Amino acid sequence: MLRTLMRAKGWDAVVVTGSDPHCSEYPAERWKQVEWLSGFTGEAGDLVVTLDHAGLWTDTRYFIQAEQQLAGTGIALHKMRVPEQVPIPDWLRQQFGDDALIAVDGLCTGAGFAQSLPGTVLSVPDLLDRFWTDRPAIPQTPIFTVDPGETRREKISWLRAFLRGQDCDGILLTALDEIAWLLNVRASDIEYNPLVISYLLVTRSEVCWYVLKDKVEDQDSRATFSILEADGVRLHPYSDIDYLPSEFQGRLFVDASSLNYQLYSTLASDGVALEEGTSPVGLRKAVKNAREIAGMREAHLQDGVAMERYLYWLEKSVAAGREITEWDAAVKLGQLRGDQKDYLGDSFETISAYGPGAALPHYITPQQDAPRLEPHGLYLCDSGGQYIFGTTDITRTVPLGPCTPLEREDYTLVLKGHIDLAMAVFPKGTAGCQLDVLARNPLWQSKRNFGHGTGHGVGFFLNVHEGPQDIRQNFNRQPILPGMITSDEPGIYREGKHGVRHENLILCTEAGRNDFGEWLQFETLTLCHFDTSAIVTSLLTEDEREWLNAYNRRVFETLRPRLGEAVATWLEQKTRPI
Amino acid sequence: MLRTLMRAKGWDAVVVTGSDPHCSEYPAERWKQVEWLSGFTGEAGDLVVTLDHAGLWTDTRYFIQAEQQLAGTGIALHKMRVPEQVPIPDWLRQQFGDDALIAVDGLCTGAGFAQSLPGTVLSVPDLLDRFWTDRPAIPQTPIFTVDPGETRREKISWLRAFLRGQDCDGILLTALDEIAWLLNVRASDIEYNPLVISYLLVTRSEVCWYVLKDKVEDQDSRATFSILEADGVRLHPYSDIDYLPSEFQGRLFVDASSLNYQLYSTLASDGVALEEGTSPVGLRKAVKNAREIAGMREAHLQDGVAMERYLYWLEKSVAAGREITEWDAAVKLGQLRGDQKDYLGDSFETISAYGPGAALPHYITPQQDAPRLEPHGLYLCDSGGQYIFGTTDITRTVPLGPCTPLEREDYTLVLKGHIDLAMAVFPKGTAGCQLDVLARNPLWQSKRNFGHGTGHGVGFFLNVHEGPQDIRQNFNRQPILPGMITSDEPGIYREGKHGVRHENLILCTEAGRNDFGEWLQFETLTLCHFDTSAIVTSLLTEDEREWLNAYNRRVFETLRPRLGEAVATWLEQKTRPI
């Protein structure tokens, strides 16, 4: 069908990306076009259809999954993040030179990516709508306000000061977490991400929120809208963003990394003077204020209680010989988080993986026929919760019984890396890429490594992945600043055998000033003990052992008042110093 | 006088930089214009003269020296590498806006810097000649050939392959160490740097070396020229480079980082099609071949013998109560290096610093009234030699008797950092900035730090500082490759008290391949023991202690056959395991 349309229109290729109109990392169902067209469900994948070829581009993480899901579809797998990779723009250039007519759904294609394509790029909004008859609507969930210690009026004033500094008349916010942060609003438009699908224009005198969907709004949203209108926010239909390019007067600041091609090209063709740059909201949002930090601490208390109850249940159940699958375990953890009073949902899909499954960093626990947990070896669980005042993300690797020497060594060396990064003290101005090796060095010393980043930023009751800082082997110059919350999650993955990852969230804090300058350090927010039974103690330095004992003791003492007697007694045992 | 000229010519400002026509780090006497004009002898300084102001721009390292040397000259000090710094281009813009007429000696001004200046920049070659009547001539020292395992014909073929790949007709090499490397020639035109002042043009069919100076050439140089002519190298007068812009046909590759503004602007105004980029010679030169590595090993053997004899002499002399100054010690070390059969000179000016002097990383040992070495505390000596088959660079910090607890801690923590970097194992592709923290972390843990890089590249019988790799807190993406030689020199500096630096040269080598990829490691080339008497053993990990004992043992066993009995016996004592 698509090819018939292509022939009729004279398109040489159609490029379908796995993104939404806001370049979100995780799109809502409405924008899962790649999945609808190809059946591929991986989190990163783009499709190209020509008259005689159809291909899916994805990276190392999803090769096996893609091969299975594409079998019989006639869609070829194009591998990325391999030395011989041919990215989509290069591939199209090889096929058509610079003369192609390429159609994209400009709404779901980032402006930067579209500009990298060769030939003429035609933006066709909702291109697949004529075939995708049961396509889900734009999400519309109840919108509510939050109180993170700074009012939206304060934030808008700050943003206007930025506009004056940039000599701009307005800024268009397109990244959904930036809009939620600025307006102090949340909803559930995207699974796991408490966001409102919308655009926000802030000018020197107006705040225009393009948020109204077709349907009647619910009561919560109406209440929220009243509050915002009282703060001077003007509400517009979501689709009225189409009129912005012809109506806006003056110089407009945009961040191309979250701007879709349709909007970008309309702004450009309507002659709006664009100032392209990095939105200042990202960095400001990453530096948490005192109230947000206090909230994150409370979220981690509740999350720690759920996690410890979970680990207690897990150990007792496996010891009792009960039949538990990876799926059962994930469900149980969800229930225990659900018992916490301020829990609102998970912050991402729980990875519950036993043995070989844990060797896939992005393993998806199957609901049907999930592997059973056995009373030996390592079980890995990576999960997180959204709380009204914070977001959590934690990985524990749990020995379910006797472990092989290799499992124990891997467990210990990854923990060494985790601890060495957590113990870091560093001068103000240091970037995450300059700290990353602390978490890898213990593994590198025995020629082991892991293929993902060591740390990502985490939002305040927002996305579990946010920038601009990170801790990985890149050249990101963003310094780690006091108030930033980042994960610390080294790992190791042995195909067909086991996987280990130890993850806490760490908060950057001030550590004083002396003759050598200003110093920063990390405070661990996550509260859940590390199991010491799989540790090869001789591989730890004295400092590492002391850190571990102090951390486990702090976990026990902090959580004890919130745990029942059975779990508390058990946790006291589990946290005995080594 | 200069201002009279400025008024006559209508120049608003004259900028005089401390560079030579090849953007060398260390210029020959002829190009020490800043020193001649201002009296300032620091290694980094630029002058700006306007009709009512004269200023010297230099960085933190030279503030004290500049204040002393500029006293009474009427020249103001402009501080760089401080938060409130105003670089020369910004300062000129503040003074004159964008309308100034600024004169520079285009030969001694880098193209990039000149282009950053505001207003109209006029290139006046040898601008100061009309005042500087006793200006030294262009250096001309005997040129000889070296045999580093690859012929100049092979190197030229490789460079021509690069030209074809870049679709260029020629490449102009302007960096002196790149020319020496490509032609396998050396001389002594610049103190400490075995270079020939010259330009080199390599086209697809010709090699033109602009090297002939006014005077009759010496016998060595004539022999060298014959050999090169037989290899197809055409010799031209050095000054004939002026004709290149009008004569060159086609597309010319140039590296603006070593191209002077006079040549750059003439090439541009004569319409030569310039392809600007990074010269490929720098990276190729940094990766040493097997013969160069073997040569570097032998150089370090000879250097190690000299160093150990020196340290023996130092310890015995101080113990005997002899009066020795920092200067005497430096002279003695030079004599002992001079005894080595293949030593040709120092690779930089020896830093010989006792106590507070050592707290200045770039201390210059005074010939007159140098401080005396006392039988307590720390003495720091940073020195290196040029050998016919290698270049060395070593720093040892020597306890001359009892040390304070702070001195011992600093000594130990810096050594920990040195060892941790030396022990690094890392995946292929890792850049120096991603390893740097290994050398700093032991200091950071107690909130100590040092303000210079951890490591710089070292040439093969060439410059003691070379790129493109380094190990420091920057974002240099150049991976550390097998065959690269880099220094490992963490330190600590306490004003008015003491300084510590421990420096070896380390060679990157292959360390095998496994499931996790390809691995690299370092091999220490420098052979000279670390004194264990000032170490706080409890601060070392087991691995660090083992590394240190193994290194000291290797130094003793390797050097023993070349040392006399007295020094060997002493060294055996000094290298006893701790």
Side-chain angles (χ1 to χ4, degrees), chain A residues 288-515:
Chain A
K288 273 67 179 173
N289 64 34
R291 179 129 175 196
E292 289 169 330
I293 291 169
M296 289 293 267
R297 281 192 223 281
E298 175 60 26
H300 280 89
L301 268 169
Q302 297 193 20
D303 210 60
V305 168
M307 279 298 299
E308 292 295 3
R309 286 184 181 152
Y310 173 64
L311 294 176
Y312 171 82
W313 167 85
L314 191 67
E315 184 173 306
K316 298 298 179 194
S317 304
V318 171
R322 286 179 48 199
E323 288 203 7
I324 300 168
T325 68
E326 294 172 347
W327 182 264
D328 301 333
V331 168
K332 180 72 181 180
L333 176 55
Q335 289 165 350
L336 289 166
R337 275 212 173 85
D339 292 342
Q340 298 303 310
K341 75 175 165 44
D342 299 300
Y343 167 85
L344 296 173
D346 285 351
S347 59
F348 60 97
E349 187 171 340
T350 296
I351 297 173
S352 171
Y354 175 72
L360 303 170
H362 294 265
Y363 181 71
I364 292 170
T365 307
Q367 186 164 2
Q368 300 299 323
D369 301 321
R372 270 186 55 191
L373 310 193
E374 294 175 32
H376 60 86
L378 298 172
Y379 163 72
L380 185 152
C381 184
D382 188 350
S383 67
Q386 294 287 10
Y387 296 81
I388 186 74
F389 36 57
T391 300
T392 68
D393 183 1
I394 173 173
T395 307
R396 285 296 178 271
T397 302
V398 189
L400 296 184
C403 292
T404 66
L406 189 63
E407 286 170 335
R408 292 168 58 94
E409 258 187 45
D410 283 347
Y411 184 97
T412 309
L413 293 177
V414 173
L415 190 58
K416 268 175 85 79
H418 174 92
I419 294 172
D420 289 0
L421 178 57
M423 288 199 301
V425 178
F426 51 96
K428 211 163 197 169
T430 304
C433 62
Q434 294 169 328
L435 293 174
D436 178 82
V437 70
L438 294 176
R440 292 181 193 269
N441 195 45
L443 291 163
W444 286 4
Q445 285 290 309
S446 53
K447 297 178 188 167
R448 302 171 208 204
N449 202 2
F450 55 98
H452 56 73
T454 302
H456 55 81
V458 176
F460 168 81
F461 183 28
L462 274 175
N463 292 356
V464 76
H465 290 168
E466 68 169 24
Q469 88 280 12
D470 54 16
I471 301 175
R472 59 189 307 153
Q473 296 273 107
N474 57 13
F475 298 91
N476 181 352
R477 290 168 182 253
Q478 174 61 52
I480 305 286
L481 300 176
M484 283 182 170
I485 294 171
T486 312
S487 69
D488 171 4
E489 49 176 315
I492 191 167
Y493 308 95
R494 295 190 186 267
E495 200 181 330
K497 289 183 180 158
H498 62 265
V500 175
R501 187 161 63 251
H502 298 301
E503 178 187 24
N504 282 343
L505 299 192
I506 52 180
L507 166 71
C508 177
T509 64
E510 309 263 5
R513 162 191 276 282
N514 64 12
D515 287 351

Side-chain angles (χ1 to χ4, degrees), chain B residues 326-387:
Chain B
E326 293 171 348
W327 182 263
D328 300 334
V331 168
K332 179 72 181 180
L333 176 56
Q335 289 166 350
L336 288 166
R337 276 212 172 87
D339 292 343
Q340 299 303 309
K341 75 175 167 37
D342 300 300
Y343 167 84
L344 295 172
D346 285 351
S347 59
F348 60 97
E349 187 171 339
T350 296
I351 297 173
S352 172
Y354 175 72
L360 304 170
H362 295 264
Y363 180 71
I364 293 172
T365 307
Q367 187 164 2
Q368 302 298 323
D369 302 321
R372 271 185 55 192
L373 311 192
E374 294 173 33
H376 60 84
L378 298 172
Y379 162 73
L380 184 153
C381 183
D382 188 351
S383 67
Q386 293 286 8
Y387 296 81

Side-chain angles (χ1 to χ4, degrees), chain A residues 533-564:
Chain A
S533 69
I535 291 174
V536 184
T537 316
S538 64
L539 291 177
L540 298 183
T541 66
E542 192 63 23
D543 288 346
E544 289 160 353
R545 210 161 50 78
E546 277 174 19
W547 183 95
L548 179 64
N549 287 333
Y551 176 72
N552 275 351
R553 188 166 51 246
R554 175 160 77 92
V555 168
F556 169 66
E557 287 172 0
T558 312
L559 296 182
R560 173 163 49 177
R562 301 193 182 208
L563 297 172

Side-chain angles (χ1 to χ4, degrees), chain B residues 15-27:
Chain B
V15 179
V16 180
T17 68
S19 188
D20 74 1
H22 307 274
C23 303
S24 302
E25 186 179 4
Y26 304 107

